[in-house]
């Protein structure tokens, strides 16, 4: 071994030269636990159900075996990845593209709703071996006879729990049933639920279960802070946070599309550069906003949970919960947008008294204990005892 060739943990896996090159071009210095456990098992052809915390590199965990599997001389769709949201589908497509950097013959199509079918037909005409899709749009293409799934040998459900929860169960089942029963079927998720287990029981053959617990090592280092506030003062307190000027790139989460839109507009009027991202924005624009944010064209993204799942933007330094999410898991996914790939991150929750009961539930669920902060008269953040604050109300 030459001195500059550092051991990364990928060497022992019998990967092709092209993939090793890509992994190194992506700057990975060590393999993550879910990758170490999943890649060899998938490469042996087993069905897999893998549960691992967000930000631990699950995309490459299935992406690498997928690319190792592909037959470049076969022009049919061999691998299909289903993802719950358009943004996530796009992101998976991009990550696979990076992994395939040194295998130029690999063609990847990304199919999702909201984009003209015609544009996607052009992608399909290029005879992709890999398709990444949201279930609804996939089914649409299947029903129009645009895609044939008879040669699929690997089927991946990413964020399986979320996808099944979003009411995609029927669509997903139809798609699973349209691929050959001999296929390899793998599911990836940050959390599991009854629907995931049911699908596994129904469609997987002897699945290997891989669970990676959140450990200190792979748990994103996210400092969690709660800033008690009132409905009237919330906006002002948000401005204090934004004015602190410490964080380069931030995501602000709201619970409704309307709030995301209004808050973004209000901030823009006040001179902050923000864009809104939510389900009512046309797909073309959503892609543009996401790309702009990833590229650092504007520093603040105001969004609903549509942007929380699986989305990976480098260097989101702070996440702000303008509203406390209604579901415990959303909290985990929101704050998981920062502290990615073992970087540090900060999450703030602007909390009104009525929301405080929900926060207790969330803390129990996440086994976390955020610190309480408050703004003093000068707009400077100070430590605050939780009890002290609520006693005053
Ligand atoms: P998950 O699906 O588990 O939430 P992702 O697949 O989105 O995580 O990966 C999160 C980030 O970590 C991505 O930017 C990805 O490129 C990066 N990443 C993946 N594997 C590694 C690795 N072995 N070392 C460093 N970074 C990695
Ligand atoms: Mg993921």
């Amino acid at each position: 071994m030459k001195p500059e060739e550092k051991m990364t943990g990928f060497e022992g896996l019998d990967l092709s030269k092209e993939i090793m090159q890509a992994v190194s071009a992506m700057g990975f210095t060590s393999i993550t636990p879910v990758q170490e456990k999943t890649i060899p098992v998938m490469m042996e052809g087993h069905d897999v159900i893998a549960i691992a915390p967000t930000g631990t590199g699950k995309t490459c965990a299935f992406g690498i075996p997928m690319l190792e599997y592909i037959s470049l001389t076969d022009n049919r769709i061999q691998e299909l990845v289903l993802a719950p949201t358009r943004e996530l589908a796009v992101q998976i497509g991009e990550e696979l593209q990076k992994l395939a950097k040194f295998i130029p013959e690999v063609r990847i199509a990304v199919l999702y709703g909201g984009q003209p079918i015609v544009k996607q037909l052009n992608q399909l005409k290029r005879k992709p071996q890999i398709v990444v899709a949201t279930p609804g749009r996939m089914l649409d293409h299947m029903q129009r006879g645009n895609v044939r799934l008879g040669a699929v040998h690997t089927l991946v459900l990413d964020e399986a729990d979320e996808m099944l929860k979003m009411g995609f169960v029927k669509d997903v089942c139809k798609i699973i049933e349209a691929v050959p029963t001999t296929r390899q079927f793998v599911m990836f998720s940050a959390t599991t639920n009854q629907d995931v287990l049911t699908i596994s029981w129904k469609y997987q053959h002897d699945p290997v279960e891989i669970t990676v617990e959140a450990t200190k090592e792979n748990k994103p280092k996210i400092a969690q802070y709660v800033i008690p506030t009132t409905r009237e003062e919330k906006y002002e307190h948000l401005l204090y946070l934004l004015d602190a000027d410490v964080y380069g790139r931030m995501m602000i989460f709201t619970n409704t599309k309307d709030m995301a839109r209004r808050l973004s507009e209000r901030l823009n009027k006040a001179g902050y550069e923000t864009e809104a991202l939510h389900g009512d924005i046309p797909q073309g624009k959503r892609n543009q906003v996401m790309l702009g944010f990833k590229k650092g064209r504007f520093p603040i993204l105001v969004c609903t949970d549509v942007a929380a799942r699986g989305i990976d933007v480098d260097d989101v330094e702070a996440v702000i919960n303008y509203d406390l999410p209604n579901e415990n898991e959303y909290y985990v996914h929101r704050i998981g947008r920062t502290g990615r790939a073992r970087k540090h991150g900060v999450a703030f929750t602007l909390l009104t008294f009525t929301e405080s009961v929900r926060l207790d539930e969330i803390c129990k669920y996440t086994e976390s204990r955020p610190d309480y902060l408050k703004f003093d008269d000068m707009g400077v953040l100070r430590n605050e005892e939780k009890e002290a604050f609520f006693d005053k109300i």
Side-chain angles (χ1 to χ4, degrees):
M1 195 172 67
K2 291 182 224 132
E4 68 269 20
E5 286 175 0
K6 288 220 183 69
M7 294 294 282
T8 59
F10 285 99
E11 309 77 7
L13 296 179
D14 206 15
L15 302 179
S16 61
K17 182 174 96 261
E18 289 80 5
I19 293 289
M20 289 300 283
Q21 266 178 302
V23 163
S24 130
M26 288 164 91
F28 298 173
T29 49
S30 60
I31 194 165
T32 68
V34 70
Q35 292 165 352
E36 190 169 28
K37 289 189 184 179
T38 311
I39 294 171
V41 174
M42 258 186 86
M43 282 174 65
E44 279 170 10
H46 295 286
D47 283 4
V48 170
I49 176 163
I51 311 292
T54 56
T56 55
K58 292 193 284 296
T59 320
C60 288
F62 60 76
I64 291 173
M66 277 173 59
L67 287 166
E68 293 290 2
Y69 253 140
I70 232 167
S71 157
L72 295 171
T73 49
D74 190 341
N75 279 337
R76 296 173 300 174
I77 299 170
Q78 300 163 41
E79 291 165 343
L80 175 61
V81 182
L82 297 178
T85 66
R86 302 153 184 191
E87 280 75 17
L88 189 54
V90 169
Q91 186 183 292
I92 294 168
E94 288 169 358
E95 188 95 340
L96 294 176
Q97 204 73 63
K98 282 188 212 158
L99 278 174
K101 186 172 178 195
F102 301 99
I103 326 173
E105 303 89 344
V106 169
R107 292 176 300 274
I108 302 168
V110 182
L111 311 174
Y112 48 84
Q115 195 189 39
I117 291 262
V118 187
K119 201 169 161 193
Q120 296 179 343
L121 279 179
N122 288 338
Q123 286 192 58
L124 290 170
K125 279 197 198 118
R126 292 176 54 237
K127 304 266 176 225
Q129 303 102 335
I130 298 179
V131 169
V132 184
T134 52
R137 183 48 69 101
M138 187 64 210
L139 207 59
D140 203 355
H141 279 290
M142 284 161 58
Q143 281 159 355
R144 286 164 192 252
N146 297 342
V147 287
R148 300 255 175 286
L149 300 181
V152 169
H153 58 60
T154 306
L155 172 64
V156 180
L157 298 196
D158 193 23
E159 301 283 354
D161 59 336
E162 179 68 4
M163 190 146 53
L164 300 173
K165 204 163 65 188
M166 281 168 72
F168 282 129
V169 180
K170 271 197 189 143
D171 289 356
V172 167
C173 288
K174 279 189 199 149
I175 298 166
I176 300 174
E177 285 166 15
V179 303
T181 50
T182 49
R183 80 279 179 275
Q184 174 179 40
F185 178 23
V186 299
M187 289 202 271
F188 280 75
S189 209
T191 40
T192 182
N193 63 17
Q194 191 52 46
D195 290 325
V196 173
L197 298 177
T198 307
I199 294 281
S200 167
W201 178 76
K202 235 171 124 178
Y203 297 107
Q204 286 192 309
H205 307 295
D206 268 339
V208 176
E209 286 176 37
I210 293 169
T211 307
V212 174
E213 303 285 348
T215 60
K216 240 196 184 151
E217 172 61 10
N218 65 27
K219 209 177 202 167
K221 296 180 184 68
I222 305 168
Q224 299 175 51
Y225 297 108
V226 169
I227 301 173
T229 184
T230 58
R231 268 182 52 195
E232 294 73 29
E233 286 177 311
K234 214 180 219 189
Y235 178 70
E236 194 186 339
H237 283 161
L238 174 68
L239 297 190
Y240 284 175
L241 272 179
L242 302 184
D243 290 345
D245 248 359
V246 190
Y247 308 105
R249 215 178 304 185
M250 292 185 265
M251 289 173 90
I252 304 175
F253 281 97
T254 66
N255 286 359
T256 64
K257 302 170 194 171
D258 203 42
M259 180 58 100
R261 183 180 54 74
R262 278 188 294 147
L263 185 59
S264 172
E265 280 172 11
R266 198 169 168 191
L267 289 171
N268 285 342
K269 281 204 190 110
Y272 299 88
E273 275 180 82
T274 82
E275 292 273 359
L277 187 75
H278 54 74
D280 275 353
I281 291 180
Q283 191 55 43
K285 172 81 179 159
R286 265 164 78 172
N287 292 349
Q288 229 181 324
V289 169
M290 208 56 226
L291 191 73
F293 187 56
K294 283 189 182 185
K295 296 231 147 129
R297 291 196 191 116
F298 58 93
I300 304 169
L301 185 69
V302 184
C303 55
T304 57
D305 289 287
V306 80
R309 269 275 167 172
I311 288 300
D312 181 52
V313 179
D314 278 349
D315 303 324
V316 173
E317 290 161 33
V319 165
I320 300 174
N321 287 311
Y322 193 71
D323 297 321
L324 191 69
N326 295 322
E327 296 210 30
N328 297 346
E329 276 167 41
Y330 286 168
Y331 180 85
V332 178
H333 288 287
R334 285 182 185 186
I335 71 168
R337 295 316 97 205
T338 182
R340 311 280 292 167
R342 301 189 191 129
K343 289 195 186 115
H344 290 267
V346 185
F348 294 101
T349 298
L350 291 162
L351 190 77
T352 60
F353 183 62
T354 42
E355 289 171 319
S356 61
V357 182
R358 281 275 310 119
L359 184 75
D360 288 341
E361 274 175 41
I362 289 175
C363 290
K364 219 182 272 169
Y365 174 81
T366 55
E367 295 178 359
S368 59
R369 261 200 227 188
D371 287 324
Y372 278 67
L373 301 175
K374 75 172 270 214
F375 290 104
D376 66 13
D377 297 339
M378 309 290 290
V380 177
L381 274 177
R382 306 262 180 225
N383 280 320
E384 169 81 334
E385 290 301 317
K386 177 183 174 189
E387 284 68 27
F389 175 79
F390 288 118
D391 279 352
K392 280 180 224 147
I393 292 191

